[in-house]
Amino acid sequence: MLTKRVVVCLDVRGGRVVKGTSFVNLRDVGDPVELATRYELAGADEIVLLDISASAEERGTLLDVARRTAERLFIPLTLGGGIRSADDVGSALRAGADKVSINSAAVVRPEVLTESARRFGSQCVVASIDAKREGSHWFVHVKGGRERTELDAIRWAAECVRRGAGEILLTSIDQDGARTGYDIELTRAVSSAVDVPVVASGGAGSLQHVCDVFQHGGADAALVAGILHDGITTVGEIKDAMRRVHLMVRAA
Amino acid sequence: MRVTIFDYGAGNLHSLAKALDTTDVSLAIETDPVRAVETDVLVLPGVGAFGAAAERLASGRGIMRDAIQRGLPTLGICLGMQLLFDASDEGAGEGLGVIAGRVTRLNAARVPQIGWNDVTPVAGDALFASAPLSMAYYANSFVCRPTDELAVAAWTTHEGDRFPAAVRAGNTVGLQFHPEKSSAAGVQLLHAFLKTGVTP
């Protein structure tokens, strides 16, 4: 039986790991290769390197970071940020990524998901969706959360899967960095609408929050970042808490 | 010991190459299937689609098949395991046909299977006896259905579908999961294959 995954996200800018609140107020938290390998030892099931660089110059370093990370990391590595085309997906895979997440580019041209899945297989194509609540709906935002679209997040998730995405990385913009819990309703709505794994992201502040998104949100994986980087908890403590509520997890 | 990874196209070989590149190994990455078998251990890596891989294999298929059947220790990972079989529903073209059977789609609601799942070895398999591994990372939509279950070295289950986590035919082993992505225990399994895979 598949276990529930704890995925550690490292936001990378200019080759360094940073952390911010609601995509702004960034702080430096360390070297990506060091952090990634340390989290593998701690029991992380996967690592995501998300490039949040503002410029092409900063972005140039990401493939190099991926290459150096892949040589020392023996758990799956997802690369995201600034991926525009199936060729970009190919470059990321060759640099050492196992999966590649596509966000804004899929909104602009959804065919990029299909083209990437055809060339490299659905298992490496992750549709990354940033969603913001408006009443009882969630709208997809792009460009690092700065630009609203007219797309309904739940319908968009289903379309991404139809077009070839093998996994959904679902971030709640409202909850991101707030540490008041994942958006359970959003996660549940999307995980019920698609038949591929859903990675819930944004809002982890406590062990209970992580357990909740699995138990009540139907997530297959939970993305955590800040609470680990700031030493509030550890991957081991998260997995112990998950075990206590009878969630299947991998032992480190 | 010469270890050769047959590179049949797209995909990440970094972690696999790093995991195999131990002190007594001379590692090569070879895109030509005929030259790939001039080695002590052959590795068929695991990323891509069956049709495209079968096409890249076609020109050297007979030679590679003969080399494996003469006893060349071969490790197939994920798609590389599936290439050991006759054919696949995923795409056109012929596999190596070293193990009789067909590759079919996972019979489950959630496909692809992505994540850590069980590995339950069949009693007595030398590889898993020397490097115990109870859980590994999978990323697959298709699975192998050997004609003869005696080829199965380990089982796993996704939803209700039970399928081989590992198969063996002589010196040839196929793994549906990614040992190079299964942390320390996975890397140890690769090292164990380099040791035990070579002895008959």
Side-chain angles (χ1 to χ4, degrees):
Chain A
M1 191 178 148
L2 277 181
T3 61
K4 299 294 186 183
R5 287 171 280 155
V6 175
V7 178
V8 177
C9 181
L10 306 176
D11 286 345
V12 177
R13 181 171 184 175
R16 297 287 294 176
V17 178
V18 295
K19 184 63 193 166
T21 305
S22 300
F23 295 96
V24 292
N25 300 325
L26 301 172
R27 289 174 289 116
D28 185 281
V29 294
D31 174 64
V33 183
E34 290 302 320
L35 281 167
T37 50
R38 199 193 303 164
Y39 284 126
E40 175 185 352
L41 277 177
D45 295 312
E46 278 182 54
I47 301 290
V48 175
L49 290 179
L50 206 55
D51 194 315
I52 57 162
S53 294
S55 67
E57 297 80 68
E58 286 177 350
R59 183 151 287 145
T61 61
L62 185 73
L63 292 184
D64 177 55
V65 169
R67 216 168 277 124
R68 289 188 290 120
T69 307
E71 288 186 350
R72 288 182 47 195
L73 191 75
F74 296 106
I75 54 173
L77 175 66
T78 300
L79 220 57
I83 304 290
R84 293 271 165 271
S85 63
D87 284 343
D88 288 349
V89 172
S91 304
L93 294 175
R94 275 192 298 281
D98 301 291
K99 299 187 263 189
V100 178
S101 86
I102 308 175
N103 192 321
S104 306
V107 172
V108 175
R109 212 176 68 83
E111 293 83 359
V112 70
L113 297 170
T114 319
E115 291 159 5
S116 302
R118 246 184 229 140
R119 273 172 64 182
F120 310 109
S122 284
Q123 83 293 330
C124 72
V125 179
V126 182
S128 170
I129 300 174
D130 294 336
K132 197 167 169 36
R133 185 191 284 266
E134 288 178 34
S136 57
H137 290 269
W138 292 268
F139 285 89
V140 176
H141 285 57
V142 293
K143 299 190 176 163
R146 291 188 302 273
E147 193 177 304
R148 182 188 185 275
T149 73
E150 289 301 320
L151 292 169
D152 175 88
I154 294 149
R155 280 197 210 143
W156 173 238
E159 178 166 358
C160 288
V161 173
R162 264 198 308 281
R163 288 181 178 270
E167 192 166 68
I168 301 287
L169 171 54
L170 179 66
T171 301
S172 159
I173 295 174
D174 306 289
Q175 295 305 106
D176 189 54
R179 300 201 181 161
T180 52
Y182 294 86
D183 189 329
I184 302 287
E185 273 185 69
L186 169 67
T187 309
R188 190 173 50 231
V190 170
S191 66
S192 316
V194 300
D195 52 13
V196 302
V198 173
V199 184
S201 158
S206 70
L207 300 174
Q208 187 64 47
H209 293 154
V210 180
C211 292
D212 284 348
V213 82
F214 287 118
Q215 291 191 295
H216 306 299
D220 298 277
L223 194 105
V224 282
I227 51 168
L228 296 177
H229 307 329
D230 290 348
I232 291 170
T233 187
T234 65
V235 177
E237 285 175 353
I238 292 174
K239 288 196 164 178
D240 285 343
M242 289 168 65
R243 262 187 221 102
R244 281 197 295 275
V245 295
H246 309 294
L247 290 162
M248 292 271 293
V249 294
R250 175 182 76 100
Chain B
M1 188 199 315
R2 288 171 306 165
V3 176
T4 301
I5 300 175
F6 174 43
D7 179 5
Y8 43 71
N12 162 18
L13 303 178
H14 288 256
S15 304
L16 180 60
K18 205 71 191 171
L20 290 169
D21 200 3
T22 52
T23 46
D24 48 354
V25 163
S26 155
L27 185 73
I29 295 177
E30 181 55 61
T31 54
D32 176 47
V34 175
R35 294 229 300 265
V37 301
E38 292 163 15
T39 186
D40 299 317
V41 176
L42 174 66
V43 179
L44 307 174
V47 183
F50 188 93
E55 205 179 307
R56 294 284 291 268
L57 180 66
S59 65
R61 182 182 164 274
I63 286 168
M64 190 177 283
R65 180 193 157 108
D66 290 348
I68 295 171
Q69 287 186 330
R70 276 198 306 270
L72 172 66
T74 301
L75 180 67
I77 297 170
C78 197
L79 175 61
M81 172 203 199
Q82 298 175 359
L83 284 172
L84 298 171
F85 285 76
D86 297 319
S88 172
D89 290 348
E90 186 188 13
E94 284 180 272
L96 287 161
V98 174
I99 299 175
R102 201 176 166 80
V103 179
T104 69
R105 196 173 170 80
L106 252 174
N107 187 14
R110 296 218 159 200
V111 176
Q113 155 180 245
I114 296 180
W116 297 78
N117 202 340
D118 306 316
V119 178
T120 309
V122 170
D125 188 84
L127 179 61
F128 289 99
S130 61
L133 175 90
S134 59
M135 192 155 269
Y137 184 80
Y138 297 78
N140 61 303
S141 300
F142 290 82
V143 298
C144 302
R145 314 284 184 189
T147 312
D148 184 350
E149 288 202 355
L150 282 175
V152 179
W155 292 96
T156 190
T157 304
H158 176 49
E159 294 176 16
D161 194 356
R162 182 170 178 258
F163 59 91
V167 290
R168 174 188 284 282
N171 285 342
T172 295
V173 169
L175 304 174
Q176 186 58 70
F177 55 86
H178 287 271
E180 79 282 15
K181 292 290 157 189
S182 298
S183 207
V187 175
Q188 277 153 22
L189 188 78
L190 285 170
H191 294 169
F193 177 79
L194 295 182
K195 288 203 187 86
T196 65
V198 185
T199 54

